[in-house]
Amino acid sequence: MDVAAGLWLHTCTYRLVAIFHFQKGTSTTINALPHHLIHFFKVSPNSRFTFASKTKVGMNRFLLFFTLSVFSLYSSGQDGAHLLLYRYIETAKRNSPLINDYRNSIEIERAEQERLKAVYLHSQLELNGDYLFVPIISKDGGRTSFKFNAQDAADYYGYDLGESSGHLHAGVTLTQPLLGRAPYKAAREQSQINMETARYNIRLEEHLLERMVTEQYLLCLLDQTQATFADSIDMLLERKAETVRKLADCGMAKQSDLRLIAIEQSANDELRCSYLQSFHAHLMELNTICGISDTNDILLPDIDIGPCLPATDGESLFTEQYVHDSLNVDASWRSFNLKYKPRLDLFVDGGMQAGAFSEWYRHFGLSAGLTLSWTIADGGQKKWKKRQSELRQHTISTYKANAANERDMRLKQSLAELGRFERRLDAMAKRIGEYDGILSDYSKEMEAGQVSVLDYMQLLHDRIQAERDRLLLQANRKLIIVTYNYWNH
């Protein structure tokens, strides 16, 4: 059974190794026990226990809390693994330029709402002015002369001074919208929809990053586990090489058998290097996704992933987008309809306006009034705009139905594949169990010279390949669960 035990060691991410010598009338130290167990027995870490045949109740208590301690360490390891994955995911979200873009767009929309409020509800004050001069060539009195800015003349060449003459205007104009609340409400509503769309895009991108980071983490774990498994195989082959070497000294094995094991060790070492290389490449890709500028390899703890239930019975994350699109079309239609509402503005104009520049200081004044505009007919634009909105809504409904159907099919496909992986893993576990039993018998028979080393190595090679296939199946099963959790949202 040493072969099966050696092949199993690679699956233990967190190990608690303790060696106890329980002999009647002897004692053993417990300085390797967890702190909470030392506290339970109420002894110092370097104390020694004496185990006698009459301490059965104490032994039961010890074994119970020892088991709980191992379970506690395993749970703590799982928490630490999920915490590391959580940190990777949060780092990816924090460093995502697309998420930061969406967050900035929300702030931009908030600023846009304030601008729209100023446009539709607040008054506007403008400083304006103009200076117009009308030059002519005058022939009054029989003399030809050039006048830069003539106010009157009888015989001249130039603009008709009765229609156009020079003037100077300078002043300020105050404009106050009187019916701006309705257009402001419509514009603000559309801006709110844009903000909700940006928040939705943030959630969707975060959800996608969770999937990408978790999948890349699992690929790193597969490479790391394969490399660890190769290490355990190397130790096993080293032990078998020592056994065959002893058999060769006794004349029960050949030197070619040792060379066969050496070839297997070399092939296993090459596989281990390829797994480490693949691990480094996948880890660097993980760091790139998360925006981490670190090229050092680290040890990743294993994680246990299970299917999750949807967080809510409401709209799916993958169809919510079309809800926002539909609301945006409705808001655009309502905003367009405001074109057919009356627009009324109050204006106040004050300043200086003069035709003769010589006495401009006497021509300061003030004017006020109302401007009204109301679209009565525009060639049927409203009808065609409504038709466009209806067609857009129909398109959105089609896309939404297709997205819902795709999500449903992805979920069913993931569940079906998950069931197949479960059946394959069960069959693989039985197959590996049979390999372990045969390997145990072959190991004893090889040491007795009843089975050739070549037959044993062939069987061991098949057992190793079966274990690698199982590791790959387990990784693919977790990837399917990640895919299911992604669509089940």
Side-chain angles (χ1 to χ4, degrees), residues 16-23 26-34 37-38 41 47-49 51 59 62-63 65-67 69-70:
L16 179 64
V17 181
I19 302 177
F20 297 95
H21 301 282
F22 298 124
Q23 295 181 0
T26 62
S27 61
T28 180
T29 62
I30 61 167
N31 57 345
L33 288 176
L37 286 184
I38 297 175
F41 286 109
S47 299
R48 305 181 67 87
F49 268 58
F51 294 91
M59 276 295 299
F62 173 78
L63 291 176
F65 277 86
F66 180 78
T67 303
S69 175
V70 173

Side-chain angles (χ1 to χ4, degrees), residues 202-480:
I202 290 175
R203 296 199 310 274
L204 185 63
E205 182 64 20
E206 288 179 343
H207 192 51
L208 178 60
L209 283 175
E210 289 171 3
R211 177 184 181 179
M212 293 174 59
V213 172
T214 305
E215 287 179 342
Q216 199 64 34
Y217 189 95
L218 290 175
L219 291 177
C220 293
L221 280 182
L222 175 61
D223 296 328
Q224 179 179 277
T225 307
Q226 294 275 28
T228 305
F229 177 62
D231 287 336
S232 65
I233 294 302
D234 186 67
M235 292 186 292
L236 175 63
L237 291 175
E238 186 63 33
R239 291 198 303 270
K240 291 307 172 185
E242 183 65 26
T243 300
V244 173
R245 194 174 294 110
K246 293 178 181 179
L247 292 175
D249 293 340
C250 299
M252 300 176 63
K254 298 176 290 184
Q255 290 298 321
S256 59
D257 295 332
L258 285 173
R259 290 198 295 270
L260 178 63
I261 296 180
I263 292 174
E264 192 67 28
Q265 286 178 314
S266 177
N268 181 71
D269 187 61
E270 193 279 330
L271 278 176
R272 177 180 176 275
C273 291
S274 68
Y275 291 141
L276 291 177
Q277 182 181 0
S278 179
F279 171 77
H280 179 78
H282 284 142
L283 183 61
M284 294 304 99
E285 183 65 24
L286 176 62
N287 288 345
T288 301
I289 294 174
C290 299
I292 300 174
S293 57
D294 185 8
T295 58
N296 296 320
D297 291 346
I298 63 172
L299 183 65
L300 300 179
D302 197 5
I303 57 173
D304 186 19
I305 298 178
C308 66
L309 296 175
T312 177
D313 295 332
E315 196 73 42
S316 167
L317 186 65
F318 299 97
T319 57
E320 184 181 343
Q321 169 189 351
Y322 304 103
V323 175
H324 294 292
D325 291 343
S326 178
L327 292 175
N328 199 13
V329 171
D330 290 339
S332 297
W333 168 246
R334 287 191 294 271
S335 180
F336 178 81
N337 279 334
L338 293 175
K339 174 183 177 182
Y340 303 97
K341 302 293 183 180
R343 293 183 297 276
L344 183 64
D345 295 334
L346 169 67
F347 71 88
V348 178
D349 190 5
M352 183 271 291
Q353 186 171 350
F357 303 145
S358 58
E359 297 183 351
W360 60 267
Y361 55 89
R362 301 180 60 183
H363 298 288
F364 283 92
L366 180 71
S367 64
L370 297 173
T371 59
L372 173 67
S373 61
W374 194 350
T375 302
I376 303 301
D378 59 359
Q381 294 183 31
K382 185 175 183 180
K383 178 183 67 175
W384 296 114
K385 184 66 175 180
K386 182 178 182 181
R387 178 59 177 164
Q388 290 176 359
S389 298
E390 291 173 349
L391 291 174
R392 289 193 180 97
Q393 291 288 14
H394 178 72
T395 302
I396 292 171
S397 299
T398 303
Y399 273 113
K400 182 178 180 181
N402 182 75
N405 180 69
E406 180 184 3
R407 173 179 177 270
D408 185 60
M409 290 300 298
R410 298 290 186 187
L411 290 175
K412 291 179 180 178
Q413 179 186 3
S414 299
L415 288 176
E417 292 187 13
L418 186 59
R420 295 189 188 99
F421 275 114
E422 295 290 351
R423 290 191 293 271
R424 291 177 63 186
L425 283 171
D426 291 341
M428 184 66 71
K430 293 179 182 179
R431 177 182 167 192
I432 290 176
E434 293 174 357
Y435 270 126
D436 291 340
I438 298 175
L439 276 173
S440 179
D441 295 337
Y442 263 45
S443 179
K444 297 175 183 177
E445 293 171 357
M446 184 185 68
E447 293 175 1
Q450 299 175 357
V451 174
S452 67
V453 176
L454 179 61
D455 292 339
Y456 176 83
M457 292 303 299
Q458 182 60 46
L459 183 62
L460 179 61
H461 184 274
D462 293 342
R463 168 63 176 87
I464 293 173
Q465 187 59 46
E467 183 63 27
R468 287 174 179 154
D469 291 342
R470 180 169 68 172
L471 292 177
L472 186 59
L473 282 176
Q474 290 174 343
N476 286 332
R477 173 185 172 275
K478 290 182 179 180
L479 289 174
I480 289 296

